[in-house]
Amino acid sequence: MFAFVGAHLGRQFEFVQTEWMNDGVFFGAGPARDPLTGSADGSGDFTIPRRPVRRRLESLPRFVVTRGGEYGFMPSLTALRWLGDLAG
């Protein structure tokens, strides 16, 4: 179960999911996907940037399976105040 509350779905959640979890180019890891939360099929490799020598993990199993998803939207505080001020 995962819940995200933010101001802009595309610039926050979607960005993190596509650029950090499923594509390591953003932080210098090449095409590597996050081994825990990224979309994986069980054949991926992941490099841990350690000093003095990096550590490479090979053929990582799939840790997370997505069963479904839903985008639900909450009204802003301004909208909630407006709704609260309506005469019933």
Side-chain angles (χ1 to χ4, degrees):
M1 181 75 177
F2 171 78
F4 166 80
V5 177
H8 195 284
L9 185 68
R11 287 188 294 204
Q12 293 170 316
F13 174 71
E14 292 286 343
F15 174 80
V16 169
Q17 188 165 4
T18 58
E19 300 299 325
W20 288 3
M21 293 181 189
N22 290 317
D23 189 3
V25 173
F26 179 76
F27 56 90
R33 295 174 183 216
D34 186 285
L36 294 177
T37 59
S39 299
D41 61 1
S43 63
D45 298 337
F46 188 75
T47 302
I48 301 171
R50 291 172 66 175
R51 292 185 182 184
V53 178
R54 292 178 291 184
R55 182 171 181 194
R56 185 163 181 81
L57 305 173
E58 297 179 356
S59 301
L60 293 170
R62 187 174 190 169
F63 293 103
V64 175
V65 177
T66 303
R67 299 264 187 232
E70 194 75 36
Y71 286 130
F73 296 94
M74 293 176 19
S76 66
L77 290 175
T78 304
L80 290 173
R81 286 186 193 103
W82 180 81
L83 288 170
D85 289 340
L86 290 176

